[in-house]
Amino acid sequence: MTAVETQITYTNSYTIQHEDAYMTQEEDWDRDLLLDPAWEKQQRKTFTAWCNSHLRKAGTQIENIEEDFRNGLKLMLLLEVISGERLPKPDKGKMRFHKIANVNKALDFICSKGVKLVSIGAEEIVDGNVKMTLGMIWTIILRFAIQDISVEETSAKEGLLLWCQRKTAPYRNVNVQNFHISWKDGLALCALIHRHRPDLIDYSKLRKDDPIGNLNTAFEVAEKYLDIPKMLDAEDIVNTPKPDEKAIMTYVSCFYHAFAGAEQAETAANRICKVLAVNQENEKLMEEYEKLASELLEWIRRTIPWLENRVAEQTMRAMQQKLEDFRDYRRVHKPPRVQEKCQLEINFNTLQTKLRLSNRPAFMPSEGKMVSDIANAWKGLEQVEKGYEEWLLTEIRRLERLDHLAEKFKQKCAMHEAWTTGKEDLLSQKDYESASLMEIRALMRKHEAFESDLAAHQDRVEQIAAIAQELNELDYHDAATVNTRCQGICDQWDNLGTLTQKRRDSLERVEKLWETIDQLYLEFAKRAAPFNNWMDGAMEDLQDMFIVHSIEEIQSLITAHDQFKATLPEADKERMATLGIHNEILKIAQTYGIKLSGINPYTNLSSQDISTKWDTVKHFVPLRDQMLQEEVARQQANERLRRQFAAQMEVRDGGAWVTSEISHVSVDIAGSLEEQMNSLKQYEQNIINYKSNIDKLEGDHQLIQESLIFDNKHTNYTMEVCMQTAARSADGLSSHSSLLKVYATSVLISSHSLSTAAHPCGLGAAAHHYRQNHQRGGEPDPDPRRQGHQPGGEVEFARIMTLVDPNNTGVVTFQAFIDFMTRETAETDTAEQVMASFKILASDKNYITVEELRRELPPEQAEYCITRMTRYVGPDCPSGALDYISFSSALYGESDL
């Protein structure tokens, strides 16, 4: 929290001024509204459930919100749970002033958090004032559940509202604008759950006309899977014209903390784990203390009778055995107990310190196991032990000193010789010559441990020498044997020291060499990996198949390949440098006699791998050259075929001739019946004569198809258009010829000589006119338009004729007919309509994201738009935003609107 100026005035109520509006009760909180039955019912249920969701962590709950907080105890407990802080110790009395004191402690804590309480005093809470109690709980909810919510630059209520709007924006029928009526249909709550946990709710099956079902679904799922208790009743929300805003905000804030507060939950879990770990550790220390104390006291109880036994033995050997037993007790049995006693005291003090620092009660051991009890028992043991030791020494003084020293000398010599057995052979080994760096370091640590052990045995060697010296001074009868054995031990000890130093020097020298080799291994790995990746990419590019359709495309590939070849000398230098590192490793190993394992610990690549791949790359380069040159030759041959076909098409004028012929057949045939028949025969002969040119073009076209050439920029004519046009021309000639024959026959039958020149509507109209009159049994009218008869409505027919024959020529061309049918049947869309549709998908933004396209459009159409839309450039737009405006304009060939 940021520091703010706070002024606190305390009488029987609280008046606190604060700069943050959301740390105060809201100005629009009309206390009279709380008396509204619907709102009061919603707030009671919601606030009670919210309090219980926190109080259950302390193992308690409330039933009546204005009654259960009257004594202040559960109110203080609630504040401790939600804040994680400890409040002052509550008063345990049941008098009214005790309750007021507890409530005041809770209110003081709320004020310490920078909260402004207006006219809320401890007396009102103790008296069970519903209005004040609900207001106080709402203030607590604002401070501890809503105030810390922060989304972008907004916080508290606005932050929570913005969070809800962001999360529910993609969902249909959801428009969160407030914390009352926007939540009545339940879809907003279901959308929040589905956005974060789509596995819990099938949003597509929810209906806006089933608000109670939607609300109950959200409540049940939240309570079952999200640990959010049911704080509202669906019927109360639906049946209330304007649900209580505070109740809705309280419930929705639980979703924010459940979803957006994952980090807080993790922090709380970590805190709990830490507390539990401390408790477990303390309990473990308590158990260890009890166990160690019991064992130590039991050992003291069993040891004291043994030390109090003063029965003297009859022989020197037996006394020596007693002495050995006592020494064994001192060397073996007592030191662990001394350590246990020290550890016991350390554990006790550590435990008490930990308990004091963590505000736990002090540890009280079981009766008779206090530290003082153990100290007293230990003091008694030492007193008995001292007496026993003095008794042993007094008894041993009666024995011959020399025999004792001789036996002691033999014992120590035997122990030392047993320890030194095999040590010289171990130090003379040269196992480091074939070891790796890690093994060398392990051998070095092992040798250091041996040196420590060797230093520890120095005291024993000195003791052996001292005993031997004392035996010589006392003129021991077998002094020669003692001196010989002592001299052998001393000589062996000196030899062990020399061998130890030599082995250390050898290990240090080999370790430095291996560190150098290891550094070279690492450098080789760092340089070999990127070079190997480069060669893999080069081999992939050199073997990559390509498909081109023009000389320009193959030339671009050749240029790229030439650029790649220009990089080969530099790559070869890198290869030589990498292999040079490997050669340096081999040189060091050969010079100093180090046996390499052949495995680089930092990479699986070897020098052989690098050389093999480099040879492969060099092998693929000329092959790639050959492939590119072959493709150049093929594209040049294809270009010659294109030019040849275009030249023949232009020289022979095939496309233009056929088009001209068909247009002549359709338009230029006029005159008398005999003239039209002669014209048709002439056109038919022209087409037959031109067939050889068509066949030649067909042959060239066949070669183009066999070469897989699909375009020709040198001509606008294609063989298919030419053949289709020729076929239509032949069909047109056949049709016109048939009509002329029928018409001529009709004329002969009717014994009339009718000139087609008298019919301004053309051949087609004359034939139609003939059929009409022939069906009526009359003679043909020279002008069929004067019959006063037209198929269909006259008005519609006149409209159509003005479109297909605007100059009133009486002739309808095929192109005019096609244009008319296209206009009548086409459905049109505009760029503005497409832009408006995109704007809906983009939620009224001037850009659209990839996620929105993939969510709203089928996969194929979505990917089509993503690959063709340009990146949107504008303020505050996310990365990857796309410009749908220019894309819509480009669809219709328009400039940006």
Side-chain angles (χ1 to χ4, degrees):
M1 283 178 51
T2 57
V4 294
E5 295 182 358
T6 305
Q7 177 184 358
I8 303 177
T9 303
Y10 170 70
T11 55
N12 289 332
S13 61
Y14 291 77
T15 303
I16 302 173
Q17 301 298 325
H18 196 287
E19 293 180 354
D20 192 341
Y22 290 104
M23 295 174 65
T24 68
Q25 295 168 307
E26 293 181 317
E27 295 178 358
D28 62 343
W29 178 41
D30 188 349
R31 300 178 186 276
D32 294 335
L33 292 179
L34 290 176
L35 300 178
D36 180 80
W39 284 27
E40 181 179 342
K41 179 181 179 182
Q42 292 178 16
Q43 287 192 10
R44 279 174 176 267
K45 180 176 179 63
T46 303
F47 292 176
T48 301
W50 184 86
C51 292
N52 284 334
S53 69
H54 293 285
L55 287 174
R56 67 181 179 182
K57 301 173 185 177
T60 185
Q61 64 178 9
I62 61 173
E63 299 294 339
N64 190 310
I65 195 167
E66 68 270 17
E67 291 294 332
D68 292 347
F69 284 143
R70 291 179 63 182
N71 61 5
L73 295 178
K74 289 188 177 180
L75 179 59
M76 294 178 69
L77 182 60
L78 173 64
L79 291 173
E80 286 185 347
V81 171
I82 63 178
S83 68
E85 301 178 16
R86 295 188 64 85
L87 271 68
K89 187 175 180 180
D91 294 353
K92 296 299 184 180
K94 298 183 178 180
M95 303 295 290
R96 175 179 174 83
F97 72 88
H98 291 131
K99 298 179 182 179
I100 292 176
N102 290 335
V103 174
N104 275 330
K105 291 176 182 179
L107 295 178
D108 287 341
F109 180 79
I110 295 174
C111 293
S112 69
K113 299 301 179 181
V115 178
K116 178 181 179 182
L117 297 174
V118 180
S119 300
I120 298 179
E123 289 81 358
E124 286 84 354
I125 306 301
V126 173
D127 293 338
N129 188 314
V130 178
K131 180 169 58 175
M132 295 301 178
T133 302
L134 292 177
M136 177 190 66
I137 297 301
W138 171 241
T139 302
I140 294 174
I141 293 173
L142 274 178
R143 171 59 184 85
F144 293 101
I146 298 177
Q147 175 191 327
D148 293 335
I149 295 176
S150 178
V151 178
E152 293 183 359
E153 296 181 357
T154 61
S155 60
K157 178 181 178 181
E158 286 76 12
L160 181 60
L161 182 63
L162 179 59
W163 179 79
C164 296
Q165 291 171 341
R166 293 286 176 82
K167 297 300 180 181
T168 60
Y171 291 88
R172 57 180 174 83
N173 298 327
V174 178
N175 183 17
V176 178
Q177 298 296 330
N178 48 55
F179 285 107
H180 34 81
I181 60 175
S182 295
W183 304 83
K184 288 188 66 174
D185 57 9
L187 291 177
L189 287 173
C190 292
L192 277 180
I193 298 175
H194 183 268
R195 183 63 179 267
H196 296 90
R197 291 289 303 277
D199 57 308
L200 300 181
I201 291 181
D202 187 355
Y203 189 83
S204 62
K205 294 183 179 180
L206 301 178
R207 295 184 294 107
K208 187 175 181 62
D209 58 357
D210 184 18
I212 293 180
N214 297 338
L215 288 168
N216 285 329
T217 297
F219 296 157
E220 293 170 2
V221 169
E223 185 173 25
K224 183 176 181 181
Y225 297 101
L226 304 179
D227 197 26
I228 299 176
K230 184 177 180 181
M231 301 182 182
L232 303 167
D233 285 329
E235 292 77 6
D236 294 342
I237 296 176
V238 174
N239 296 331
T240 303
K242 182 180 179 182
D244 181 59
E245 183 180 50
K246 299 175 180 60
I248 298 295
M249 283 182 65
T250 301
Y251 188 60
V252 172
S253 70
C254 294
F255 285 90
Y256 174 86
H257 292 294
F259 295 132
E263 183 178 353
Q264 297 177 0
E266 182 179 357
T267 302
N270 292 336
R271 180 180 300 151
I272 293 172
C273 292
K274 183 178 179 181
V275 172
L276 293 178
V278 171
N279 283 349
Q280 290 173 341
E281 184 178 358
N282 292 340
E283 291 175 0
K284 183 179 179 182
L285 289 175
M286 294 177 187
E287 294 173 358
E288 289 180 356
Y289 178 86
E290 292 284 342
K291 180 181 178 183
L292 288 175
S294 300
E295 292 177 353
L296 184 59
L297 291 173
E298 176 64 20
W299 179 81
I300 293 174
R301 185 188 65 79
R302 288 186 286 104
T303 304
I304 288 177
W306 176 70
L307 294 174
E308 289 177 343
N309 183 10
R310 301 290 195 271
V311 179
E313 298 295 340
Q314 299 299 321
T315 63
M316 181 67 174
R317 184 174 182 180
M319 288 304 297
Q320 287 176 343
Q321 183 61 45
K322 279 186 174 287
L323 182 60
E324 282 300 316
D325 293 341
F326 182 72
R327 287 174 177 170
D328 187 61
Y329 158 78
R330 283 279 185 88
R331 290 193 304 266
V332 178
H333 299 289
K334 186 179 179 181
R337 301 303 176 178
V338 174
Q339 185 176 1
E340 287 179 5
K341 177 178 177 293
C342 295
Q343 188 63 42
L344 199 64
E345 295 174 354
I346 293 172
N347 289 353
F348 182 80
N349 294 330
T350 302
L351 177 59
Q352 298 293 41
T353 302
K354 287 185 176 180
L355 291 174
R356 185 172 62 257
L357 292 178
S358 58
N359 295 323
R360 267 75 166 181
F363 169 61
M364 183 63 65
S366 303
E367 184 177 359
K369 297 179 182 178
M370 295 290 292
V371 175
S372 58
D373 298 332
I374 296 173
N376 293 332
W378 189 263
K379 182 177 180 181
L381 173 67
E382 287 185 336
Q383 289 175 353
V384 174
E385 178 185 320
K386 181 179 180 181
Y388 184 73
E389 183 181 17
E390 291 175 353
W391 174 78
L392 277 178
L393 293 175
T394 301
E395 290 297 321
I396 290 176
R397 288 190 188 99
R398 295 184 297 110
L399 302 175
E400 294 183 357
R401 178 67 174 170
L402 291 175
D403 289 343
H404 172 71
L405 291 175
E407 189 62 29
K408 186 177 181 181
F409 176 81
K410 292 177 182 179
Q411 181 185 10
K412 288 188 176 291
C413 288
M415 293 177 62
H416 177 77
E417 288 167 354
W419 179 82
T420 58
T421 300
K423 294 294 189 294
E424 292 175 304
D425 295 336
L426 180 65
L427 293 172
S428 300
Q429 288 181 356
K430 295 186 178 180
D431 48 356
Y432 49 80
E433 292 182 351
S434 60
S436 64
L437 178 60
M438 297 302 295
E439 293 170 343
I440 291 294
R441 289 173 177 170
L443 290 174
M444 178 61 75
R445 288 192 292 270
K446 183 178 180 181
H447 186 71
E448 290 172 353
F450 174 78
E451 288 177 330
S452 300
D453 194 15
L454 185 68
H457 281 76
Q458 176 68 31
D459 183 60
R460 179 175 293 165
V461 175
E462 292 175 356
Q463 290 178 5
I464 292 173
I467 293 172
Q469 180 66 29
E470 188 174 356
L471 287 172
N472 280 279
E473 291 175 355
L474 295 175
D475 198 17
Y476 180 57
H477 68 280
D478 199 11
T481 303
V482 172
N483 291 335
T484 301
R485 194 170 185 181
C486 181
Q487 186 63 42
I489 290 175
C490 291
D491 292 343
Q492 185 187 35
W493 185 257
D494 293 337
N495 187 39
L496 285 175
T498 302
L499 292 175
T500 300
Q501 185 59 41
K502 287 183 178 180
R503 183 171 177 81
R504 165 172 280 278
D505 295 340
S506 299
L507 287 173
E508 290 177 348
R509 176 179 59 84
V510 176
E511 183 182 19
K512 290 181 180 179
L513 292 174
W514 265 110
E515 287 177 349
T516 302
I517 293 175
D518 186 74
Q519 186 62 32
L520 291 174
Y521 271 141
L522 179 60
E523 185 177 355
F524 177 85
K526 289 181 178 179
R527 300 193 69 162
F531 186 66
N532 181 67
N533 291 336
W534 176 86
M535 289 192 295
D536 287 340
M539 288 191 293
E540 182 179 353
D541 292 340
L542 291 172
Q543 299 178 82
D544 185 27
M545 300 299 295
F546 53 83
I547 299 175
V548 296
H549 301 94
S550 66
I551 292 179
E552 291 78 7
E553 294 178 2
I554 190 63
Q555 286 298 336
S556 66
L557 290 179
I558 291 175
T559 301
H561 184 61
D562 291 340
Q563 293 174 354
F564 167 76
K565 289 193 293 184
T567 64
L568 290 178
E570 193 66 27
D572 189 45
K573 292 180 181 179
E574 180 65 19
R575 178 184 68 88
M576 293 302 296
T578 304
L579 295 180
I581 296 172
H582 178 73
N583 294 334
E584 181 67 19
I585 294 173
L586 296 178
K587 181 179 178 181
I588 293 174
Q590 183 178 4
T591 302
Y592 296 99
I594 296 177
K595 298 179 182 179
L596 298 175
S597 62
I599 299 175
N600 189 328
Y602 300 105
T603 181
N604 293 326
L605 293 172
S606 65
S607 59
Q608 183 62 37
D609 296 336
I610 300 296
S611 299
T612 301
K613 284 192 178 182
W614 177 256
D615 294 339
T616 303
V617 170
K618 292 196 297 184
H619 173 71
F620 283 145
V621 169
L623 294 180
R624 183 74 170 185
D625 286 330
Q626 182 180 353
M627 292 173 61
L628 292 173
Q629 292 304 320
E630 291 175 354
E631 185 62 26
V632 168
R634 192 174 74 84
Q635 291 300 326
Q636 290 175 348
N638 291 348
E639 184 66 14
R640 287 193 295 271
L641 287 175
R642 291 189 185 95
R643 293 180 181 277
Q644 181 178 341
F645 179 82
Q648 291 177 358
M649 183 65 76
E650 297 299 332
V651 171
R652 302 177 188 279
D653 203 16
W657 183 87
V658 174
T659 303
S660 174
E661 291 300 313
I662 189 63
S663 62
H664 290 167
V665 173
S666 301
V667 180
D668 294 345
I669 299 179
S672 64
L673 179 62
E674 182 178 358
E675 290 174 348
Q676 292 186 38
M677 291 293 290
N678 292 334
S679 297
L680 285 175
K681 290 180 180 180
Q682 181 62 41
Y683 288 139
E684 183 175 3
Q685 185 61 41
N686 291 343
I687 290 175
I688 293 173
N689 294 337
Y690 198 79
K691 188 174 184 305
S692 60
N693 294 335
I694 297 295
D695 293 340
K696 176 61 176 174
L697 289 172
E698 178 64 23
D700 293 342
H701 180 66
Q702 182 67 26
L703 292 175
I704 289 176
Q705 288 184 328
E706 291 174 355
S707 299
L708 301 178
I709 300 174
F710 304 104
D711 60 342
N712 193 340
K713 64 182 180 180
H714 302 294
T715 180
N716 294 327
Y717 296 110
T718 64
M719 196 64 211
E720 290 78 7
V721 173
C722 184
M723 296 298 293
Q724 292 172 3
T725 307
R728 288 199 302 271
S729 177
D731 292 342
L733 288 174
S734 176
S735 175
H736 280 73
S737 177
S738 299
L739 287 174
L740 285 176
K741 289 178 182 179
V742 171
Y743 186 70
T745 303
S746 301
V747 171
L748 292 175
I749 293 174
S750 60
S751 300
H752 287 282
S753 176
L754 182 63
S755 172
T756 59
H759 298 274
C761 290
L763 180 60
H768 175 68
H769 170 61
Y770 165 73
R771 286 193 295 269
Q772 287 182 335
N773 283 278
H774 182 69
Q775 292 169 359
R776 294 196 306 268
E779 293 182 356
D781 192 324
D783 190 352
R785 289 177 293 180
R786 292 198 299 267
Q787 302 300 316
H789 171 71
Q790 291 180 348
E794 294 182 359
V795 176
E796 178 65 16
F797 181 78
R799 183 186 72 82
I800 294 173
M801 289 304 295
T802 58
L803 295 174
V804 299
D805 186 17
N807 297 326
N808 198 23
T809 60
V811 175
V812 178
T813 65
F814 180 73
Q815 187 60 43
F817 172 73
I818 291 298
D819 293 341
F820 167 74
M821 292 303 293
T822 300
R823 288 194 302 272
E824 291 294 315
T825 59
E827 296 181 1
T828 60
D829 287 317
T830 65
E832 290 79 4
Q833 292 173 331
V834 175
M835 269 185 254
S837 299
F838 271 120
K839 192 167 187 179
I840 294 173
L841 298 185
S843 302
D844 293 331
K845 299 190 296 292
N846 289 331
Y847 59 84
I848 192 168
T849 64
V850 174
E851 291 76 12
E852 291 172 338
L853 288 172
R854 288 177 173 160
R855 183 176 65 244
E856 303 295 342
L857 297 179
E860 183 178 354
Q861 282 75 17
E863 295 302 324
Y864 177 86
C865 295
I866 292 170
T867 55
R868 285 164 173 78
M869 284 187 182
T870 59
R871 183 176 179 276
Y872 178 81
V873 179
D876 299 332
C877 67
S879 176
L882 303 176
D883 186 357
Y884 65 80
I885 297 177
S886 60
F887 173 78
S888 302
S889 301
L891 288 177
Y892 292 88
E894 303 177 3
S895 60
D896 292 346
L897 297 177

